[in-house]
Amino acid sequence: MRLILLFISLYFSSTIVLASIPGLEAIYGRMLSRTQSEIINRNLIPQSTPNTCNQQVLKMREDGVLNILVAFGYMDVSGGQDFSDSGTSLYGNGDVLDGDAKKALVNKLRARCPSGDRSMACGFRGNGNTLRKTIRDRWSNTRIQVNIILESSSVTSSDQANKGQYSSRQQNASQHVKGQFLGALKSYDAVIYMGHARSGGGPDFKPPVLYNNGAVNYGYYRQQREGIRSMLGVLGSQSAPVIGVLACKSTGLFASSIRRKASNSLLVTADELFDYNDILPTGYAMLEGIISQSCSDEFSRLTKIQPASARFLSIFY
């Protein structure tokens, strides 16, 4: 499918410099490595034939190009949460996590494939927001060009700075990623959102609307529903064959309305609360299923490889 957003993405990525939370990228990287090892250890190699494969996988391989967008929402910590590793506090209220999550995922995708299998979510080349590699179609052995665009929403890892000294840059970044997300839903093969659900107001790429006490104003999001309204406005029968909305309780909040609009798309959503410790490995496993051309049950087994995913993930064909 068309790469109409690629050059805009390449240009925009050079204008943003992300600050990191010390140690967080490495933590996320280890999570991804554990997921990759589990995939290899379970030997989840697709075995289905075209006659038994779901329509979404068959559609994605039609033109020999596989375009995937991974869109990280603005992943603020605004509920007083704190995450510790080995007794050391890594992040807390006011921190923003999507920049470190994106960097960890890019590093894992660019790393050498441990099994030597090119049809895996590894061994990609490229810098910044765009990664590429060539795989072989599982059935015809023809070449498929895989392009993964990765976009994160936050300018720095500080919500205060993003709303203050970097407010103009943050506004541009949020608009850019939202535009990429909405455009990809109409023209890409697969779109994966990883971020907040905003109690039904997401997907969201902007800093949170807060009460004076610093708590998220969920009433605002439930009333405005800006994210899901924008998303539904571009969805249709020709939308991306695969759509993932990896966000808290996204099954109940979004699944029915998305399925009505994008009736031909495979949809992945979460039934319960879902933080980055679960979202990021699940997103990586979902990429693995897409790149390896896994069908139906094969795709489900891969995407639900994490314990939390096995319990809380819904996949609609």
Side-chain angles (χ1 to χ4, degrees):
M1 300 179 85
R2 301 183 305 276
L3 266 176
I4 59 175
L5 306 175
L6 174 59
F7 296 108
I8 297 175
S9 175
L10 287 170
Y11 171 79
F12 194 87
S13 65
S14 65
T15 67
I16 296 177
V17 178
L18 286 165
S20 296
I21 298 171
L24 188 56
E25 180 185 341
I27 293 292
Y28 287 150
R30 288 194 287 273
M31 291 178 184
L32 294 172
S33 293
R34 286 194 293 270
T35 302
Q36 183 187 63
S37 296
E38 187 69 11
I39 291 170
I40 294 171
N41 291 338
R42 291 195 193 181
N43 196 29
L44 298 176
I45 300 173
Q47 301 291 335
S48 56
T49 66
N51 291 335
T52 61
C53 197
N54 50 299
Q55 62 171 336
Q56 294 90 351
V57 172
L58 299 177
K59 183 177 180 180
M60 287 191 293
R61 60 190 283 272
E62 287 178 350
D63 62 356
V65 180
L66 179 57
N67 294 324
I68 305 167
L69 175 72
V70 179
F72 289 88
Y74 190 95
M75 197 66 170
D76 56 284
V77 181
S78 299
Q81 303 101 313
D82 182 80
F83 177 79
S84 298
D85 181 65
S86 301
T88 302
S89 180
L90 284 179
Y91 62 74
N93 195 34
D95 287 330
V96 191
L97 314 179
D98 54 273
D100 288 297
K102 175 194 165 184
K103 286 187 285 187
L105 182 56
V106 167
N107 289 338
K108 177 52 62 180
L109 291 170
R110 294 183 71 235
R112 179 179 296 179
C113 294
S115 68
D117 188 345
R118 291 182 57 83
S119 296
M120 293 183 65
C122 49
F124 281 79
R125 295 183 179 181
N127 296 301
N129 289 15
T130 305
L131 303 178
R132 304 181 183 89
K133 82 170 187 177
T134 301
I135 64 172
R136 291 285 183 178
D137 182 273
R138 192 155 64 85
W139 299 294
S140 69
N141 203 37
T142 57
R143 291 177 180 269
I144 296 178
Q145 174 69 36
V146 183
N147 305 301
I148 303 180
I149 314 300
L150 303 101
E151 298 280 5
S152 57
S153 300
S154 61
V155 173
T156 79
S157 58
S158 166
D159 185 55
Q160 182 179 6
N162 294 339
K163 291 177 176 176
Q165 66 188 102
Y166 297 113
S167 60
S168 178
R169 185 180 292 182
Q170 181 59 63
Q171 183 179 6
N172 290 336
S174 296
Q175 291 175 346
H176 167 77
V177 182
K178 180 180 179 180
Q180 291 281 96
F181 176 70
L182 296 177
L185 288 169
K186 297 184 291 184
S187 62
Y188 277 34
D189 296 286
V191 179
I192 302 173
Y193 169 79
M194 294 193 258
H196 283 304
R198 301 294 192 207
S199 192
D204 190 34
F205 305 97
K206 297 189 293 187
V209 177
L210 305 175
Y211 289 113
N212 291 336
N213 65 2
V216 178
N217 186 346
Y218 287 115
Y220 167 85
Y221 290 106
R222 285 191 289 267
Q223 181 181 35
Q224 297 297 321
R225 302 183 75 243
E226 176 187 341
I228 187 61
R229 286 178 178 175
S230 297
M231 185 177 181
L232 295 176
V234 301
L235 290 177
S237 60
Q238 298 301 312
S239 296
V242 177
I243 299 171
V245 183
L246 304 184
C248 289
K249 299 185 177 181
S250 54
T251 302
L253 293 170
F254 305 128
S256 60
S257 56
I258 292 174
R259 292 182 71 201
R260 281 195 298 269
K261 295 286 288 188
S263 57
N264 295 327
S265 298
L266 183 159
L267 176 64
V268 181
T269 54
D271 303 343
E272 299 292 340
L273 297 176
F274 213 51
D275 65 18
Y276 258 20
N277 298 340
D278 302 315
I279 289 174
L280 192 59
T282 299
Y284 177 76
M286 188 174 171
L287 283 172
E288 178 68 36
I290 294 168
I291 295 166
S292 65
Q293 297 177 280
S294 297
C295 305
S296 302
D297 291 344
E298 300 164 339
F299 181 84
S300 294
R301 285 194 294 272
L302 265 172
T303 305
K304 293 184 177 184
I305 198 167
Q306 292 292 108
S309 301
R311 295 193 303 272
F312 301 142
L313 213 63
S314 290
I315 301 178
F316 304 95
Y317 293 93

PDB file of all heavy atoms in Angstrom, residues 13-46:
ATOM      1  N   SER A  13      10.964  14.020  12.018  1.00  0.00           N
ATOM      2  CA  SER A  13      11.734  13.367  13.070  1.00  0.00           C
ATOM      3  C   SER A  13      13.018  14.112  13.383  1.00  0.00           C
ATOM      4  O   SER A  13      13.560  13.998  14.478  1.00  0.00           O
ATOM      5  CB  SER A  13      12.057  11.922  12.667  1.00  0.00           C
ATOM      6  OG  SER A  13      12.905  11.897  11.541  1.00  0.00           O
ATOM      7  N   SER A  14      13.536  14.894  12.442  1.00  0.00           N
ATOM      8  CA  SER A  14      14.780  15.608  12.685  1.00  0.00           C
ATOM      9  C   SER A  14      14.589  16.855  13.526  1.00  0.00           C
ATOM     10  O   SER A  14      15.558  17.491  13.934  1.00  0.00           O
ATOM     11  CB  SER A  14      15.414  15.998  11.340  1.00  0.00           C
ATOM     12  OG  SER A  14      14.578  16.921  10.658  1.00  0.00           O
ATOM     13  N   THR A  15      13.346  17.242  13.804  1.00  0.00           N
ATOM     14  CA  THR A  15      13.099  18.487  14.523  1.00  0.00           C
ATOM     15  C   THR A  15      12.879  18.280  16.016  1.00  0.00           C
ATOM     16  O   THR A  15      12.740  19.236  16.751  1.00  0.00           O
ATOM     17  CB  THR A  15      11.860  19.188  13.946  1.00  0.00           C
ATOM     18  OG1 THR A  15      10.689  18.402  14.221  1.00  0.00           O
ATOM     19  CG2 THR A  15      11.991  19.382  12.459  1.00  0.00           C
ATOM     20  N   ILE A  16      12.837  17.029  16.478  1.00  0.00           N
ATOM     21  CA  ILE A  16      12.509  16.759  17.863  1.00  0.00           C
ATOM     22  C   ILE A  16      13.668  16.016  18.534  1.00  0.00           C
ATOM     23  O   ILE A  16      14.206  15.065  17.993  1.00  0.00           O
ATOM     24  CB  ILE A  16      11.230  15.916  17.972  1.00  0.00           C
ATOM     25  CG1 ILE A  16      10.041  16.714  17.429  1.00  0.00           C
ATOM     26  CG2 ILE A  16      10.958  15.484  19.406  1.00  0.00           C
ATOM     27  CD1 ILE A  16       8.742  15.950  17.424  1.00  0.00           C
ATOM     28  N   VAL A  17      14.050  16.474  19.730  1.00  0.00           N
ATOM     29  CA  VAL A  17      15.067  15.795  20.522  1.00  0.00           C
ATOM     30  C   VAL A  17      14.418  15.355  21.825  1.00  0.00           C
ATOM     31  O   VAL A  17      13.908  16.175  22.581  1.00  0.00           O
ATOM     32  CB  VAL A  17      16.268  16.718  20.806  1.00  0.00           C
ATOM     33  CG1 VAL A  17      17.275  15.998  21.681  1.00  0.00           C
ATOM     34  CG2 VAL A  17      16.910  17.185  19.508  1.00  0.00           C
ATOM     35  N   LEU A  18      14.429  14.062  22.082  1.00  0.00           N
ATOM     36  CA  LEU A  18      13.759  13.525  23.260  1.00  0.00           C
ATOM     37  C   LEU A  18      14.709  13.417  24.436  1.00  0.00           C
ATOM     38  O   LEU A  18      15.838  12.947  24.296  1.00  0.00           O
ATOM     39  CB  LEU A  18      13.202  12.136  22.952  1.00  0.00           C
ATOM     40  CG  LEU A  18      11.959  12.075  22.062  1.00  0.00           C
ATOM     41  CD1 LEU A  18      11.764  10.658  21.570  1.00  0.00           C
ATOM     42  CD2 LEU A  18      10.737  12.534  22.826  1.00  0.00           C
ATOM     43  N   ALA A  19      14.254  13.878  25.604  1.00  0.00           N
ATOM     44  CA  ALA A  19      14.951  13.586  26.846  1.00  0.00           C
ATOM     45  C   ALA A  19      14.448  12.253  27.374  1.00  0.00           C
ATOM     46  O   ALA A  19      13.312  11.868  27.121  1.00  0.00           O
ATOM     47  CB  ALA A  19      14.688  14.697  27.857  1.00  0.00           C
ATOM     48  N   SER A  20      15.297  11.522  28.090  1.00  0.00           N
ATOM     49  CA  SER A  20      14.957  10.187  28.552  1.00  0.00           C
ATOM     50  C   SER A  20      14.901  10.129  30.066  1.00  0.00           C
ATOM     51  O   SER A  20      15.476  10.963  30.762  1.00  0.00           O
ATOM     52  CB  SER A  20      15.996   9.176  28.051  1.00  0.00           C
ATOM     53  OG  SER A  20      15.980   9.102  26.637  1.00  0.00           O
ATOM     54  N   ILE A  21      14.206   9.120  30.564  1.00  0.00           N
ATOM     55  CA  ILE A  21      14.209   8.803  31.982  1.00  0.00           C
ATOM     56  C   ILE A  21      15.319   7.789  32.209  1.00  0.00           C
ATOM     57  O   ILE A  21      15.289   6.706  31.621  1.00  0.00           O
ATOM     58  CB  ILE A  21      12.849   8.226  32.413  1.00  0.00           C
ATOM     59  CG1 ILE A  21      11.746   9.262  32.187  1.00  0.00           C
ATOM     60  CG2 ILE A  21      12.883   7.768  33.866  1.00  0.00           C
ATOM     61  CD1 ILE A  21      10.346   8.735  32.372  1.00  0.00           C
ATOM     62  N   PRO A  22      16.323   8.108  33.008  1.00  0.00           N
ATOM     63  CA  PRO A  22      17.477   7.211  33.160  1.00  0.00           C
ATOM     64  C   PRO A  22      17.070   5.788  33.531  1.00  0.00           C
ATOM     65  O   PRO A  22      16.318   5.567  34.478  1.00  0.00           O
ATOM     66  CB  PRO A  22      18.269   7.871  34.298  1.00  0.00           C
ATOM     67  CG  PRO A  22      17.906   9.319  34.215  1.00  0.00           C
ATOM     68  CD  PRO A  22      16.460   9.342  33.802  1.00  0.00           C
ATOM     69  N   GLY A  23      17.559   4.836  32.757  1.00  0.00           N
ATOM     70  CA  GLY A  23      17.334   3.426  33.027  1.00  0.00           C
ATOM     71  C   GLY A  23      16.083   2.843  32.409  1.00  0.00           C
ATOM     72  O   GLY A  23      15.951   1.610  32.309  1.00  0.00           O
ATOM     73  N   LEU A  24      15.139   3.688  31.963  1.00  0.00           N
ATOM     74  CA  LEU A  24      13.852   3.165  31.511  1.00  0.00           C
ATOM     75  C   LEU A  24      13.961   2.463  30.162  1.00  0.00           C
ATOM     76  O   LEU A  24      13.360   1.401  29.958  1.00  0.00           O
ATOM     77  CB  LEU A  24      12.823   4.289  31.437  1.00  0.00           C
ATOM     78  CG  LEU A  24      11.380   3.864  31.161  1.00  0.00           C
ATOM     79  CD1 LEU A  24      10.895   2.858  32.199  1.00  0.00           C
ATOM     80  CD2 LEU A  24      10.462   5.079  31.137  1.00  0.00           C
ATOM     81  N   GLU A  25      14.706   3.025  29.239  1.00  0.00           N
ATOM     82  CA  GLU A  25      14.858   2.386  27.930  1.00  0.00           C
ATOM     83  C   GLU A  25      15.446   0.986  28.069  1.00  0.00           C
ATOM     84  O   GLU A  25      15.014   0.045  27.395  1.00  0.00           O
ATOM     85  CB  GLU A  25      15.759   3.243  27.036  1.00  0.00           C
ATOM     86  CG  GLU A  25      15.977   2.670  25.654  1.00  0.00           C
ATOM     87  CD  GLU A  25      16.967   3.474  24.833  1.00  0.00           C
ATOM     88  OE1 GLU A  25      17.220   4.651  25.171  1.00  0.00           O
ATOM     89  OE2 GLU A  25      17.503   2.909  23.858  1.00  0.00           O
ATOM     90  N   ALA A  26      16.404   0.820  28.974  1.00  0.00           N
ATOM     91  CA  ALA A  26      17.010  -0.499  29.180  1.00  0.00           C
ATOM     92  C   ALA A  26      16.012  -1.483  29.769  1.00  0.00           C
ATOM     93  O   ALA A  26      15.992  -2.670  29.393  1.00  0.00           O
ATOM     94  CB  ALA A  26      18.229  -0.371  30.099  1.00  0.00           C
ATOM     95  N   ILE A  27      15.166  -1.015  30.693  1.00  0.00           N
ATOM     96  CA  ILE A  27      14.130  -1.883  31.262  1.00  0.00           C
ATOM     97  C   ILE A  27      13.195  -2.362  30.171  1.00  0.00           C
ATOM     98  O   ILE A  27      12.879  -3.562  30.064  1.00  0.00           O
ATOM     99  CB  ILE A  27      13.340  -1.128  32.344  1.00  0.00           C
ATOM    100  CG1 ILE A  27      14.231  -0.824  33.546  1.00  0.00           C
ATOM    101  CG2 ILE A  27      12.100  -1.917  32.766  1.00  0.00           C
ATOM    102  CD1 ILE A  27      14.657  -2.041  34.316  1.00  0.00           C
ATOM    103  N   TYR A  28      12.726  -1.438  29.341  1.00  0.00           N
ATOM    104  CA  TYR A  28      11.837  -1.820  28.247  1.00  0.00           C
ATOM    105  C   TYR A  28      12.534  -2.763  27.268  1.00  0.00           C
ATOM    106  O   TYR A  28      11.917  -3.692  26.736  1.00  0.00           O
ATOM    107  CB  TYR A  28      11.351  -0.574  27.515  1.00  0.00           C
ATOM    108  CG  TYR A  28      10.335   0.248  28.270  1.00  0.00           C
ATOM    109  CD1 TYR A  28      10.249   1.626  28.096  1.00  0.00           C
ATOM    110  CD2 TYR A  28       9.434  -0.341  29.149  1.00  0.00           C
ATOM    111  CE1 TYR A  28       9.316   2.393  28.778  1.00  0.00           C
ATOM    112  CE2 TYR A  28       8.496   0.412  29.837  1.00  0.00           C
ATOM    113  CZ  TYR A  28       8.444   1.783  29.641  1.00  0.00           C
ATOM    114  OH  TYR A  28       7.517   2.530  30.320  1.00  0.00           O
ATOM    115  N   GLY A  29      13.816  -2.519  27.029  1.00  0.00           N
ATOM    116  CA  GLY A  29      14.558  -3.389  26.130  1.00  0.00           C
ATOM    117  C   GLY A  29      14.621  -4.817  26.627  1.00  0.00           C
ATOM    118  O   GLY A  29      14.503  -5.772  25.841  1.00  0.00           O
ATOM    119  N   ARG A  30      14.801  -4.993  27.927  1.00  0.00           N
ATOM    120  CA  ARG A  30      14.838  -6.341  28.491  1.00  0.00           C
ATOM    121  C   ARG A  30      13.474  -7.021  28.387  1.00  0.00           C
ATOM    122  O   ARG A  30      13.395  -8.236  28.156  1.00  0.00           O
ATOM    123  CB  ARG A  30      15.318  -6.292  29.947  1.00  0.00           C
ATOM    124  CG  ARG A  30      16.804  -5.975  30.082  1.00  0.00           C
ATOM    125  CD  ARG A  30      17.319  -6.271  31.461  1.00  0.00           C
ATOM    126  NE  ARG A  30      16.866  -5.310  32.456  1.00  0.00           N
ATOM    127  CZ  ARG A  30      17.488  -4.161  32.734  1.00  0.00           C
ATOM    128  NH1 ARG A  30      18.586  -3.819  32.051  1.00  0.00           N
ATOM    129  NH2 ARG A  30      17.038  -3.361  33.675  1.00  0.00           N
ATOM    130  N   MET A  31      12.406  -6.250  28.558  1.00  0.00           N
ATOM    131  CA  MET A  31      11.063  -6.813  28.375  1.00  0.00           C
ATOM    132  C   MET A  31      10.886  -7.348  26.958  1.00  0.00           C
ATOM    133  O   MET A  31      10.354  -8.450  26.744  1.00  0.00           O
ATOM    134  CB  MET A  31      10.007  -5.737  28.636  1.00  0.00           C
ATOM    135  CG  MET A  31       9.877  -5.293  30.062  1.00  0.00           C
ATOM    136  SD  MET A  31       8.635  -3.975  30.180  1.00  0.00           S
ATOM    137  CE  MET A  31       8.762  -3.565  31.933  1.00  0.00           C
ATOM    138  N   LEU A  32      11.321  -6.571  25.982  1.00  0.00           N
ATOM    139  CA  LEU A  32      11.193  -6.984  24.594  1.00  0.00           C
ATOM    140  C   LEU A  32      12.049  -8.203  24.282  1.00  0.00           C
ATOM    141  O   LEU A  32      11.637  -9.096  23.529  1.00  0.00           O
ATOM    142  CB  LEU A  32      11.554  -5.823  23.672  1.00  0.00           C
ATOM    143  CG  LEU A  32      10.618  -4.620  23.720  1.00  0.00           C
ATOM    144  CD1 LEU A  32      11.186  -3.457  22.922  1.00  0.00           C
ATOM    145  CD2 LEU A  32       9.227  -4.984  23.199  1.00  0.00           C
ATOM    146  N   SER A  33      13.233  -8.258  24.869  1.00  0.00           N
ATOM    147  CA  SER A  33      14.099  -9.416  24.651  1.00  0.00           C
ATOM    148  C   SER A  33      13.481 -10.679  25.217  1.00  0.00           C
ATOM    149  O   SER A  33      13.581 -11.755  24.611  1.00  0.00           O
ATOM    150  CB  SER A  33      15.477  -9.166  25.289  1.00  0.00           C
ATOM    151  OG  SER A  33      16.166  -8.136  24.608  1.00  0.00           O
ATOM    152  N   ARG A  34      12.846 -10.571  26.388  1.00  0.00           N
ATOM    153  CA  ARG A  34      12.181 -11.736  26.965  1.00  0.00           C
ATOM    154  C   ARG A  34      11.036 -12.215  26.070  1.00  0.00           C
ATOM    155  O   ARG A  34      10.828 -13.420  25.889  1.00  0.00           O
ATOM    156  CB  ARG A  34      11.672 -11.413  28.369  1.00  0.00           C
ATOM    157  CG  ARG A  34      12.760 -11.329  29.432  1.00  0.00           C
ATOM    158  CD  ARG A  34      12.169 -11.355  30.820  1.00  0.00           C
ATOM    159  NE  ARG A  34      11.383 -10.177  31.121  1.00  0.00           N
ATOM    160  CZ  ARG A  34      11.873  -9.065  31.666  1.00  0.00           C
ATOM    161  NH1 ARG A  34      13.173  -8.975  31.953  1.00  0.00           N
ATOM    162  NH2 ARG A  34      11.093  -8.041  31.928  1.00  0.00           N
ATOM    163  N   THR A  35      10.301 -11.267  25.499  1.00  0.00           N
ATOM    164  CA  THR A  35       9.203 -11.637  24.599  1.00  0.00           C
ATOM    165  C   THR A  35       9.741 -12.327  23.357  1.00  0.00           C
ATOM    166  O   THR A  35       9.198 -13.353  22.916  1.00  0.00           O
ATOM    167  CB  THR A  35       8.397 -10.387  24.203  1.00  0.00           C
ATOM    168  OG1 THR A  35       7.894  -9.758  25.376  1.00  0.00           O
ATOM    169  CG2 THR A  35       7.233 -10.755  23.295  1.00  0.00           C
ATOM    170  N   GLN A  36      10.807 -11.784  22.781  1.00  0.00           N
ATOM    171  CA  GLN A  36      11.401 -12.403  21.599  1.00  0.00           C
ATOM    172  C   GLN A  36      11.896 -13.816  21.911  1.00  0.00           C
ATOM    173  O   GLN A  36      11.679 -14.753  21.129  1.00  0.00           O
ATOM    174  CB  GLN A  36      12.555 -11.549  21.087  1.00  0.00           C
ATOM    175  CG  GLN A  36      13.181 -12.072  19.813  1.00  0.00           C
ATOM    176  CD  GLN A  36      14.421 -11.293  19.431  1.00  0.00           C
ATOM    177  OE1 GLN A  36      15.405 -11.288  20.178  1.00  0.00           O
ATOM    178  NE2 GLN A  36      14.370 -10.631  18.289  1.00  0.00           N
ATOM    179  N   SER A  37      12.533 -13.991  23.056  1.00  0.00           N
ATOM    180  CA  SER A  37      13.026 -15.317  23.440  1.00  0.00           C
ATOM    181  C   SER A  37      11.881 -16.307  23.608  1.00  0.00           C
ATOM    182  O   SER A  37      11.983 -17.475  23.208  1.00  0.00           O
ATOM    183  CB  SER A  37      13.828 -15.226  24.740  1.00  0.00           C
ATOM    184  OG  SER A  37      14.992 -14.439  24.571  1.00  0.00           O
ATOM    185  N   GLU A  38      10.775 -15.841  24.180  1.00  0.00           N
ATOM    186  CA  GLU A  38       9.615 -16.713  24.363  1.00  0.00           C
ATOM    187  C   GLU A  38       9.034 -17.135  23.023  1.00  0.00           C
ATOM    188  O   GLU A  38       8.643 -18.300  22.837  1.00  0.00           O
ATOM    189  CB  GLU A  38       8.556 -15.995  25.198  1.00  0.00           C
ATOM    190  CG  GLU A  38       7.383 -16.849  25.601  1.00  0.00           C
ATOM    191  CD  GLU A  38       7.733 -17.925  26.607  1.00  0.00           C
ATOM    192  OE1 GLU A  38       8.856 -17.887  27.170  1.00  0.00           O
ATOM    193  OE2 GLU A  38       6.905 -18.818  26.824  1.00  0.00           O
ATOM    194  N   ILE A  39       8.989 -16.209  22.069  1.00  0.00           N
ATOM    195  CA  ILE A  39       8.494 -16.544  20.727  1.00  0.00           C
ATOM    196  C   ILE A  39       9.367 -17.620  20.084  1.00  0.00           C
ATOM    197  O   ILE A  39       8.869 -18.591  19.508  1.00  0.00           O
ATOM    198  CB  ILE A  39       8.459 -15.275  19.850  1.00  0.00           C
ATOM    199  CG1 ILE A  39       7.363 -14.316  20.347  1.00  0.00           C
ATOM    200  CG2 ILE A  39       8.231 -15.632  18.386  1.00  0.00           C
ATOM    201  CD1 ILE A  39       7.416 -12.948  19.702  1.00  0.00           C
ATOM    202  N   ILE A  40      10.682 -17.459  20.211  1.00  0.00           N
ATOM    203  CA  ILE A  40      11.603 -18.427  19.611  1.00  0.00           C
ATOM    204  C   ILE A  40      11.516 -19.767  20.332  1.00  0.00           C
ATOM    205  O   ILE A  40      11.475 -20.832  19.699  1.00  0.00           O
ATOM    206  CB  ILE A  40      13.040 -17.871  19.650  1.00  0.00           C
ATOM    207  CG1 ILE A  40      13.149 -16.639  18.742  1.00  0.00           C
ATOM    208  CG2 ILE A  40      14.043 -18.939  19.227  1.00  0.00           C
ATOM    209  CD1 ILE A  40      14.450 -15.896  18.875  1.00  0.00           C
ATOM    210  N   ASN A  41      11.456 -19.732  21.651  1.00  0.00           N
ATOM    211  CA  ASN A  41      11.428 -20.982  22.421  1.00  0.00           C
ATOM    212  C   ASN A  41      10.163 -21.786  22.158  1.00  0.00           C
ATOM    213  O   ASN A  41      10.181 -23.019  22.183  1.00  0.00           O
ATOM    214  CB  ASN A  41      11.557 -20.681  23.914  1.00  0.00           C
ATOM    215  CG  ASN A  41      12.932 -20.163  24.278  1.00  0.00           C
ATOM    216  OD1 ASN A  41      13.903 -20.383  23.562  1.00  0.00           O
ATOM    217  ND2 ASN A  41      13.030 -19.449  25.395  1.00  0.00           N
ATOM    218  N   ARG A  42       9.070 -21.108  21.916  1.00  0.00           N
ATOM    219  CA  ARG A  42       7.818 -21.820  21.644  1.00  0.00           C
ATOM    220  C   ARG A  42       7.713 -22.271  20.186  1.00  0.00           C
ATOM    221  O   ARG A  42       6.762 -22.973  19.823  1.00  0.00           O
ATOM    222  CB  ARG A  42       6.621 -20.928  21.988  1.00  0.00           C
ATOM    223  CG  ARG A  42       6.455 -20.678  23.467  1.00  0.00           C
ATOM    224  CD  ARG A  42       5.087 -20.115  23.750  1.00  0.00           C
ATOM    225  NE  ARG A  42       4.974 -19.583  25.087  1.00  0.00           N
ATOM    226  CZ  ARG A  42       3.861 -19.055  25.588  1.00  0.00           C
ATOM    227  NH1 ARG A  42       2.764 -18.977  24.832  1.00  0.00           N
ATOM    228  NH2 ARG A  42       3.830 -18.583  26.814  1.00  0.00           N
ATOM    229  N   ASN A  43       8.655 -21.813  19.352  1.00  0.00           N
ATOM    230  CA  ASN A  43       8.713 -22.245  17.953  1.00  0.00           C
ATOM    231  C   ASN A  43       7.378 -22.004  17.242  1.00  0.00           C
ATOM    232  O   ASN A  43       6.812 -22.900  16.604  1.00  0.00           O
ATOM    233  CB  ASN A  43       9.088 -23.724  17.866  1.00  0.00           C
ATOM    234  CG  ASN A  43       9.547 -24.121  16.466  1.00  0.00           C
ATOM    235  OD1 ASN A  43      10.081 -23.292  15.727  1.00  0.00           O
ATOM    236  ND2 ASN A  43       9.346 -25.372  16.104  1.00  0.00           N
ATOM    237  N   LEU A  44       6.878 -20.768  17.355  1.00  0.00           N
ATOM    238  CA  LEU A  44       5.569 -20.420  16.788  1.00  0.00           C
ATOM    239  C   LEU A  44       5.702 -20.056  15.310  1.00  0.00           C
ATOM    240  O   LEU A  44       5.495 -18.923  14.883  1.00  0.00           O
ATOM    241  CB  LEU A  44       4.959 -19.259  17.586  1.00  0.00           C
ATOM    242  CG  LEU A  44       4.679 -19.551  19.060  1.00  0.00           C
ATOM    243  CD1 LEU A  44       4.159 -18.300  19.765  1.00  0.00           C
ATOM    244  CD2 LEU A  44       3.689 -20.684  19.201  1.00  0.00           C
ATOM    245  N   ILE A  45       6.039 -21.035  14.506  1.00  0.00           N
ATOM    246  CA  ILE A  45       6.233 -20.836  13.074  1.00  0.00           C
ATOM    247  C   ILE A  45       4.901 -21.044  12.361  1.00  0.00           C
ATOM    248  O   ILE A  45       4.252 -22.077  12.536  1.00  0.00           O
ATOM    249  CB  ILE A  45       7.284 -21.815  12.516  1.00  0.00           C
ATOM    250  CG1 ILE A  45       8.632 -21.594  13.218  1.00  0.00           C
ATOM    251  CG2 ILE A  45       7.426 -21.659  11.007  1.00  0.00           C
ATOM    252  CD1 ILE A  45       9.675 -22.625  12.859  1.00  0.00           C
ATOM    253  N   PRO A  46       4.461 -20.090  11.532  1.00  0.00           N
ATOM    254  CA  PRO A  46       3.178 -20.246  10.829  1.00  0.00           C
ATOM    255  C   PRO A  46       3.191 -21.462   9.897  1.00  0.00           C
ATOM    256  O   PRO A  46       4.168 -21.714   9.199  1.00  0.00           O
ATOM    257  CB  PRO A  46       3.051 -18.949  10.032  1.00  0.00           C
ATOM    258  CG  PRO A  46       3.949 -17.972  10.718  1.00  0.00           C
ATOM    259  CD  PRO A  46       5.086 -18.776  11.273  1.00  0.00           C
TER     260      PRO A  46
END
